[in-house]
């Protein structure tokens, strides 16, 4: 279970606990296509984390099935299953008494990889997640910042090149600036690696930013809607989804498009002192920038070359 991304299917997956009238997860059915990020989001107690832990059998199914590339998780040895799934949690869960190198190499070591291969893979992954191998391989978790520990946790989850990754509120305990940077870096990594990722969050803005598809769960573990972010914002399935997404869903929709998606006006239509933004800027950020700058027009520029202009009205349209 290593290498290419895997398709993940929840097929009427249900989890009940004795003594509780409502199921934790109720008949959950959805398909996560290989290489996509599916975000599970919803109010507290809706079964997001339970659904995630059903996948690697940290919690056992009551009924229904979950399949990875057509194979039922019930047919797989739990140890084999978990070694083939990357798992990243909010608390990171690094082993405190061993080095970063030993933490990242945990699963490859269990799989019997030779030491040289583990060292090469660990070095490669630290560079990939924005750490410095020369500085960080021999450090201990207590010597790292929260953001650095989260990067090590991500590297550890990627170590054996799993086809599937589970991420349970991985950035929730990190300050907003570092959190946004880690979100951006994970999306960049995903463009390169194309893993299948199930990502749990309580934050609808994070869900919209991170997800190729979003599953909104309601209390009792019911699936309220499963759709790409743009569809979710434009056509909420019911009042619950509309309220959860928020009254500002039109503004949230601006976060899904970038300046590069729009037809630009001529550069000379903007005043000489107009603010300049790169084409990768989201429409939401561009609008916020214009409001803060008290400007009506911005220039879109890349590598010092002005590509064109955009007005505030054009952004809103």
């Amino acid at each position: 279970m290593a290498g290419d991304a895997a398709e993940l299917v929840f097929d009427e997956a249900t989890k009940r606990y004795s003594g509780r009238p409502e199921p934790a997860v109720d008949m959950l059915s959805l398909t996560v296509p290989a290489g996509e990020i599916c975000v599970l989001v919803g109010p507290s107690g809706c079964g997001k984390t339970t659904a995630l832990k059903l996948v690697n059998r940290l919690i056992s199914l009551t009924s229904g099935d979950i399949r990875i590339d057509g194979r039922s998780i019930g047919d797989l040895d739990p140890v084999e299953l978990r070694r083939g799934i990357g798992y990243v949690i909010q608390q990171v869960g690094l082993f405190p008494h061993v080095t970063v190198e030993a933490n990242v190499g945990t699963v490859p070591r269990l799989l019997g990889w030779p030491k040289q291969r583990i060292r090469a893979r660990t070095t490669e992954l630290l560079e990939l997640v924005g750490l410095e191998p020369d500085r960080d391989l021999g450090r201990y978790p207590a010597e790292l910042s929260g953001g650095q520990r989260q990067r090590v946790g991500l590297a550890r989850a990627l170590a054996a090149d799993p086809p599937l990754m589970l991420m349970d509120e991985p950035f929730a305990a990190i300050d907003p600036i570092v959190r946004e940077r880690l979100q951006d870096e994970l999306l960049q990594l995903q463009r390169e690696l194309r893993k299948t990722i199930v990502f749990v969050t309580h934050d609808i803005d994070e869900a919209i930013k991170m997800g190729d598809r979003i599953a909104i769960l309601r209390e009792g573990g019911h699936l309220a809607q499963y759709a790409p972010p743009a569809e979710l914002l434009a056509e909420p399935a019911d009042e619950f989804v509309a309220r959860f997404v928020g009254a500002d869903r039109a503004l949230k929709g601006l976060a899904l498009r970038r300046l590069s998606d729009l037809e630009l006006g001529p550069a000379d239509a903007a005043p000489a002192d107009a603010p300049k933004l790169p084409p990768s800027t989201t429409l939401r950020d561009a609008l916020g920038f214009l409001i803060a700058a008290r400007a009506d027009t911005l220039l879109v520029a890349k590598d010092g070359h002005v590509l064109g202009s955009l007005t505030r009205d054009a952004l809103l349209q």
Side-chain angles (χ1 to χ4, degrees):
M1 273 185 65
D4 294 338
E7 179 188 73
L8 176 68
V9 175
F10 289 82
D11 184 0
E12 297 187 351
T14 300
K15 177 62 183 179
R16 292 182 176 275
Y17 290 102
S18 59
R20 294 191 194 174
E22 288 275 318
V25 175
D26 189 22
M27 302 282 286
L28 178 62
S29 293
L30 58 86
T31 297
V32 186
E36 290 197 0
I37 299 178
C38 165
V39 180
L40 303 179
V41 66
S44 297
C46 70
K48 305 183 293 292
T49 293
T50 301
L52 192 79
K53 289 181 176 179
L54 289 172
V55 177
N56 60 1
R57 293 175 62 182
L58 289 179
I59 295 174
S60 58
L61 280 162
T62 303
S63 62
D65 196 14
I66 295 172
R67 295 184 294 277
I68 300 172
D69 273 347
R71 296 181 69 188
S72 170
I73 60 169
D75 293 339
L76 296 168
D77 174 75
V79 174
E80 177 196 350
L81 173 71
R82 290 169 195 154
R83 288 180 183 175
I85 296 175
Y87 190 44
V88 186
I89 58 175
Q90 178 180 335
Q91 298 84 5
V92 186
L94 299 180
F95 303 120
H97 303 304
V98 299
T99 63
V100 166
E101 181 176 11
N103 267 286
V104 175
T106 300
V107 174
R109 195 163 53 252
L110 292 170
L111 293 173
W113 289 20
K115 287 183 179 179
Q116 275 188 309
R117 185 183 175 195
I118 295 174
R119 164 60 71 98
R121 179 64 172 159
T122 302
T123 300
E124 173 194 12
L125 284 169
L126 288 190
E127 290 174 347
L128 199 64
V129 300
L131 294 172
E132 298 178 25
D134 290 344
R135 180 194 67 190
D136 297 322
L137 276 172
R139 299 171 82 188
Y140 289 83
E143 300 175 76
L144 306 175
S145 69
Q148 288 171 326
R149 286 195 294 272
Q150 202 66 59
R151 291 168 197 268
V152 174
L154 180 56
R156 184 174 66 179
L158 288 165
D161 195 20
L164 173 63
M165 293 184 65
L166 307 177
M167 307 186 77
D168 191 1
E169 304 234 28
F171 309 139
I174 298 170
D175 71 72
I177 293 173
V178 176
R179 180 178 186 173
E180 185 173 3
R181 191 179 307 140
L182 288 174
Q183 289 169 346
D184 292 339
E185 289 175 2
L186 176 59
L187 290 172
Q188 179 59 42
L189 272 176
Q190 175 66 352
R191 283 189 281 273
E192 296 174 26
L193 302 178
R194 302 309 303 178
K195 297 295 180 185
T196 305
I197 299 175
V198 183
F199 187 109
V200 166
T201 181
H202 64 278
D203 182 343
I204 187 62
D205 288 322
E206 183 169 62
I208 290 166
K209 178 174 181 176
M210 301 303 296
D212 295 299
R213 298 166 193 257
I214 299 173
I216 295 188
L217 303 180
R218 63 173 88 235
E219 288 183 10
H222 304 288
L223 179 62
Q225 188 169 357
Y226 183 49
E231 182 181 329
L232 200 71
L233 293 170
E235 302 174 34
D238 56 26
E239 185 59 29
F240 168 80
V241 175
R243 285 201 315 273
F244 190 82
V245 170
D248 63 340
R249 63 178 186 270
L251 264 180
K252 288 184 171 75
L254 291 178
L256 299 175
R257 301 185 67 196
R258 301 186 180 276
L259 296 178
S260 56
D261 297 330
L262 301 186
E263 186 175 337
L264 304 179
D268 57 12
D273 62 348
K276 293 180 182 177
L277 294 175
S280 59
T281 308
T282 67
L283 304 195
R284 185 175 184 175
D285 287 347
L287 183 61
F289 195 91
L290 278 175
I291 292 169
R294 298 185 179 181
D296 291 316
T297 309
L298 60 83
L299 290 168
V300 181
K302 184 176 183 180
D303 300 327
H305 177 64
V306 175
L307 305 176
S309 67
L310 271 174
T311 64
R312 188 188 302 195
D313 287 345
L315 280 173
L316 291 171
Q317 286 171 7

